[in-house]
Amino acid sequence: MEKIYRPQEVADQLKIKKATVYELIKRGELKSAKVGKQIRISQDQLDEYLTRTNQTGQPAGLTDALPPVMDIPRFSADQASRQMDYLLHTNGLIINSQESRTVELLRSLLSQRENSLPLLHSYMNDYNSLYSLYYEKTHMALTCFCFRQFEERIGQISHFLPGKEAAVIHICTLKTGFFVQKGNPKKINSLKDLCRSDIRFLNREKGNGLRIYLDRLLTEQKTDRSFIPGYSDESLSHMSSANTVASGLADVSMGDFSHLAAYPQLEFIPLTEASMDLVILKSAMEQTCFASILETINSREFKDSLLHFNGYETFHTGEVQFTVP
């Protein structure tokens, strides 16, 4: 009878962490099966994985040397709606965003102020964050859209909030681009290189600001997306994108320059700048809790903390502009 292993038993055999086994399964490198609610790996599945890694010269525990990745699982529309309905009935302000580090920084500083409410983070991409704000299912949306002219970002946000007037509070600008292996062995220098048959691309998910910008460029250049190997493969975070390229599972992906600090295996090819902005409906701005948020964003402590992220700029941090209904 074929031997069947639990994830912990596989981790013990490969001398890696149990979390790494789950990551290998999640990325499709290690096949598995579900018995009820339990994950099990057969001897054949384990042998197939070991044979493949030996052939590529990549040790089974390579991902163990990389920073841990915590992608947020995908939610169905029904799940996301129920999650926000729950948060709306709790004592706090809901902020929708993929930018976890900035939310945590804002949450930490707000907790030290009077007249502030707890921040409840609902992890959503830029499109869905503004969609939720439009339907008033959230209190704030922290977005990150790419731009060619700084003023473009207001028009882009307005596009997702038809008929609504919103305050756009600038947080910072940051550098976005392509993650490639150290030394750029595949010589990836432009969007056209993504169409090469020897390139494996990892895209960002639909609704992410980088994905929206990429699709815009591809449309302008009349590039057929079907010619890009891996275009339909999606990553849910900057760190996951960097991790996938660093581990050799993709040749190029897109993300925020600041995450490069955790990956000495990578180089960065600049694409464009992006603007991180906190969007609040104008009708809510007079409430005391939002005044506390604005004061926090304008504080020296908040701005100095943002500068710890490599590539972040705070020249316009705290500036407020309004969308046109």
Side-chain angles (χ1 to χ4, degrees):
M1 181 177 177
E2 185 180 18
K3 180 73 174 175
I4 304 295
Y5 300 103
R6 296 190 299 272
Q8 184 60 62
E9 293 173 320
V10 172
D12 293 340
Q13 286 196 49
L14 299 181
K15 293 181 171 54
I16 59 178
K17 296 177 183 177
K18 182 179 178 181
T20 303
V21 175
Y22 283 116
E23 183 67 23
L24 292 171
I25 293 170
K26 178 181 176 181
R27 293 205 300 252
E29 296 177 60
L30 174 62
K31 294 180 181 178
S32 66
K34 270 198 170 183
V35 180
K37 293 185 178 180
Q38 304 299 315
I39 291 178
R40 294 293 182 262
I41 300 99
S42 70
Q43 185 66 57
D44 283 348
Q45 289 168 332
L46 180 58
D47 289 344
E48 179 188 343
Y49 168 72
L50 292 172
T51 300
R52 187 170 63 253
T53 53
N54 287 335
Q55 286 175 345
T56 59
Q58 179 180 328
L62 175 64
T63 53
D64 217 31
L66 299 174
V69 178
M70 293 188 295
D71 264 351
I72 305 299
R74 297 179 185 277
F75 289 100
S76 69
D78 179 60
Q79 288 174 317
S81 178
R82 282 188 280 111
Q83 177 201 38
M84 286 187 295
D85 284 341
Y86 166 75
L87 292 177
L88 281 169
H89 289 87
T90 58
N91 184 28
L93 295 174
I94 305 173
I95 180 169
N96 286 12
S97 179
Q98 285 183 312
E99 303 295 331
S100 301
R101 298 181 305 180
T102 307
V103 172
E104 286 305 313
L105 172 59
L106 190 57
R107 175 187 283 160
S108 174
L109 295 178
L110 275 172
S111 67
Q112 304 168 25
R113 289 179 172 268
E114 295 182 2
N115 301 320
S116 66
L117 290 172
L119 285 188
L120 308 170
H121 186 192
S122 179
Y123 192 96
M124 286 191 178
N125 61 42
D126 304 293
Y127 175 90
N128 287 328
S129 294
L130 290 177
Y131 181 84
S132 299
L133 186 63
Y134 175 74
Y135 279 100
E136 299 184 24
K137 287 288 190 177
T138 187
H139 299 109
M140 296 173 285
L142 182 64
T143 63
C144 192
F145 286 111
C146 300
F147 61 86
R148 282 176 283 201
Q149 298 291 331
F150 186 64
E151 295 73 17
E152 284 183 7
R153 75 196 209 288
I154 301 298
Q156 194 158 19
I157 292 170
S158 295
H159 176 74
F160 293 109
L161 298 171
K164 301 275 189 180
E165 190 170 9
V168 180
I169 306 168
H170 182 64
I171 302 299
C172 64
T173 58
L174 51 99
K175 300 173 183 177
T176 65
F178 294 116
F179 296 131
V180 298
Q181 290 280 351
K182 194 78 172 178
N184 193 7
K186 291 295 185 76
K187 306 300 179 187
I188 300 168
N189 298 304
S190 69
L191 288 180
K192 291 182 179 180
D193 291 320
L194 301 183
C195 298
R196 287 165 34 195
S197 60
D198 64 321
I199 299 297
R200 295 170 298 167
F201 178 56
L202 175 64
N203 209 344
R204 297 301 297 268
E205 81 283 9
K206 299 178 186 71
N208 172 268
L210 261 171
R211 171 67 173 268
I212 292 170
Y213 184 75
L214 174 66
D215 285 345
R216 174 182 170 185
L217 292 182
L218 294 175
T219 298
E220 290 175 353
Q221 297 182 12
K222 298 181 179 179
T223 300
D224 188 340
R225 295 160 178 75
S226 65
F227 288 116
I228 300 178
Y231 177 84
S232 60
D233 298 330
E234 299 180 346
S235 162
L236 300 179
S237 69
H238 298 301
M239 182 168 280
S240 181
S241 295
N243 194 285
T244 302
V245 177
S247 62
L249 298 176
D251 299 307
V252 56
S253 188
M254 298 187 296
D256 166 5
F257 174 74
S258 68
H259 287 78
L260 207 68
Y263 294 93
Q265 309 94 329
L266 300 181
E267 284 188 11
F268 187 77
I269 301 173
L271 180 61
T272 189
E273 287 189 312
S275 177
M276 192 186 301
D277 297 285
L278 184 64
V279 186
I280 304 170
L281 294 181
K282 187 180 179 182
S283 58
M285 282 295 289
E286 295 181 359
Q287 298 181 33
T288 304
C289 56
F290 290 113
S292 182
I293 289 172
L294 189 56
E295 289 172 5
T296 300
I297 292 171
N298 277 289
S299 69
R300 176 49 55 190
E301 188 175 5
F302 181 75
K303 293 177 182 179
D304 287 347
S305 296
L306 284 175
L307 292 176
H308 292 156
F309 302 127
N310 197 12
Y312 280 24
E313 294 181 352
T314 57
F315 298 122
H316 300 284
T317 299
E319 289 185 5
V320 182
Q321 293 178 275
F322 294 92
T323 62
V324 178

